[in-house]
């Protein structure tokens, strides 16, 4: 009975938190728009950087892994053209990386608002996520033309490349994006809170994100033919399955069995991180004014 009562209280409390956030949705949108304007206000190219950055990153990685000493061949990408492989990794990764990099200091940057006005403080990290989603949508203007080019191209069989097929698999892309958003939002809540109490978290996150990038299949596929024992360790990195999910959907043949299993684990991790991170953030909220 006690456990059931506690569970009901948790559900009720989470409902209250969500209702309160909906009530302040206007503030969330305003903060997200402010972050976007500040990010590009004094830059020469402005919002154009949102699609120039994936182009530059893709060009660098394409040059290294297609014309450098280590080449990623079509048999390693399941026939997916490498340019499309990189774009479908760089753009989601940029959403992940830029959101965590910006949200780590979102509470300390807004110290005056945190101490003077009451509103749910989670609007700060969630506004960072919303702002990054705008950049993500702009960056898709780079991916979509490349995708359509390969989808309507005739690729020679001897190249080993397979043209992506436009199919109902594309309808699964929003589901995969939702998993990624939950993961990013949950992590943003946790690290913004942690950095408020321990200011060296922002330096640790710089190192963590660099290592996470190389441990994720952004620029090369991650396989474990020679070390199958590491397969379970890779499941702990939800971004691997998320990127595989994007790529399987773009190729049009549906999700591969391994991708489905990985996404189930990633979805569970994202849900736990999001709900747990929000709960921890809300419980520690009354201490924020003391540490800003």
């Amino acid at each position: 009975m006690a456990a059931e009562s506690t569970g009901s209280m948790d559900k009720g409390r989470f409902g209250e938190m969500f209702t309160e956030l909906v009530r302040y949705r206007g503030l969330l949108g305003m903060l997200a728009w402010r972050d976007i304007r500040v990010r590009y206000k004094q830059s020469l190219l402005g919002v154009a950087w949102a699609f120039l950055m994936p182009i530059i990153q893709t060009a660098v990685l394409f040059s290294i892994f297609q014309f450098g000493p280590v080449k990623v061949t079509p048999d390693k990408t399941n026939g997916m053209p490498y340019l499309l492989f990189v774009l479908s990794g760089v753009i989601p990764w940029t959403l992940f990386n830029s959101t965590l990099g910006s949200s780590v200091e979102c509470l300390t940057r807004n110290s005056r608002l945190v101490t003077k006005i009451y509103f749910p403080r989670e609007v700060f990290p969630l506004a960072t996520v919303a702002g990054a989603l705008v950049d993500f949508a702009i960056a898709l203007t780079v991916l979509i033309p490349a995708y359509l080019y390969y989808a309507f191209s005739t690729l020679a069989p001897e190249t080993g490349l397979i043209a992506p097929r436009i199919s109902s698999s594309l309808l699964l892309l929003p589901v995969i994006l939702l998993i990624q958003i939950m993961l990013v939002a949950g992590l943003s809540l946790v690290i913004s809170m942690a950095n408020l109490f321990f200011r060296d978290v922002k330096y640790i996150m710089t190192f963590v994100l660099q290592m996470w990038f190389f441990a994720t299949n952004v620029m090369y596929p991650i396989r474990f033919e020679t070390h199958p024992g590491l397969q379970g360790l890779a499941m702990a990195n939800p971004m691997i399955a998320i990127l595989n999910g994007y790529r399987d959907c773009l190729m049009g043949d549906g999700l591969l069995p391994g991708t489905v299993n990985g996404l189930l684990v990633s979805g569970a991790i994202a849900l736990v991180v999001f709900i747990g991170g929000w709960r921890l953030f809300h419980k520690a909220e009354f201490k924020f004014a003391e540490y800003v």
Side-chain angles (χ1 to χ4, degrees):
M1 289 293 292
E4 183 178 347
S5 175
T6 302
S8 299
M9 290 176 62
D10 287 344
K11 291 179 181 178
R13 186 57 180 156
F14 188 79
E16 291 174 11
M17 289 159 52
F18 182 78
T19 302
E20 187 178 37
L21 183 62
V22 171
R23 192 160 57 245
Y24 285 90
R25 62 187 181 278
L27 176 61
L28 193 154
M30 184 190 70
L31 291 172
W33 178 241
R34 185 201 64 176
D35 288 347
I36 294 170
R37 285 188 298 133
V38 169
R39 190 180 308 145
Y40 300 114
K41 185 177 180 181
Q42 293 182 321
S43 62
L44 291 174
L45 298 179
V47 76
W49 282 112
F51 62 83
L52 281 177
M53 286 306 298
I55 291 176
I56 295 170
Q57 291 175 340
T58 300
V60 171
L61 294 176
F62 185 84
S63 300
I64 293 173
F65 288 96
Q66 291 297 285
F67 304 108
V70 179
K71 183 176 181 179
V72 176
T73 54
D75 62 296
K76 295 180 180 178
T77 62
N78 295 322
M80 190 177 198
Y82 187 67
L83 179 63
L84 192 58
F85 180 91
V86 173
L87 275 174
S88 58
V90 164
I91 293 175
W93 175 261
T94 301
L95 169 63
F96 180 82
N97 182 76
S98 63
T99 304
L100 297 188
S102 299
S103 63
V104 68
E105 291 188 281
C106 65
L107 292 176
T108 54
R109 283 197 308 266
N110 295 281
S111 57
R112 291 185 179 180
L113 290 175
V114 170
T115 56
K116 293 184 178 180
I117 308 172
Y118 174 76
F119 52 85
R121 303 299 188 253
E122 55 264 36
V123 297
F124 290 117
L126 294 182
T128 304
V129 176
L133 280 171
V134 174
D135 287 346
F136 177 78
I138 296 172
L140 289 178
T141 60
V142 178
L143 175 63
I144 292 173
Y147 173 71
L148 293 176
Y149 169 78
Y150 283 111
F152 293 101
S153 295
T154 303
L155 301 176
E158 59 269 18
T159 63
L161 298 175
I162 301 173
R165 188 169 59 88
I166 298 176
S167 71
S168 58
S169 296
L170 294 176
L171 298 176
L172 294 173
L173 288 174
V175 178
I176 299 170
L177 177 60
L178 178 60
I179 294 174
Q180 184 176 0
I181 291 172
M182 283 196 304
L183 175 67
V184 169
L187 289 174
S188 295
L189 288 164
V190 172
I191 65 174
S192 61
M193 172 187 64
N195 185 66
L196 189 63
F197 298 141
F198 308 100
R199 300 302 170 90
D200 46 357
V201 168
K202 63 181 178 181
Y203 304 112
I204 297 173
M205 282 305 301
T206 301
F207 172 74
V208 168
L209 287 173
Q210 288 177 345
M211 296 301 295
W212 205 329
F213 173 78
F214 290 108
T216 305
N217 50 341
V218 177
M219 53 186 172
Y220 42 65
I222 294 180
R223 296 183 175 181
F224 300 94
E225 287 91 345
T226 56
H227 298 86
L230 296 177
Q231 183 71 45
L233 184 61
M235 297 287 278
N237 180 0
M239 284 302 297
I240 293 178
I242 288 171
L243 295 190
N244 283 337
Y246 282 123
R247 288 162 177 155
D248 286 358
C249 291
L250 290 174
M251 290 305 290
D253 292 326
L255 299 176
L256 298 176
T259 304
V260 172
N261 295 335
L263 283 175
L264 289 174
V265 174
S266 297
I269 292 173
L271 186 61
V272 169
V273 169
F274 178 65
I275 295 177
W278 198 353
R279 289 285 293 166
L280 286 173
F281 188 96
H282 214 271
K283 285 184 177 181
E285 193 174 10
F286 73 96
K287 298 180 181 178
F288 289 178
E290 301 175 24
Y291 288 86
V292 293

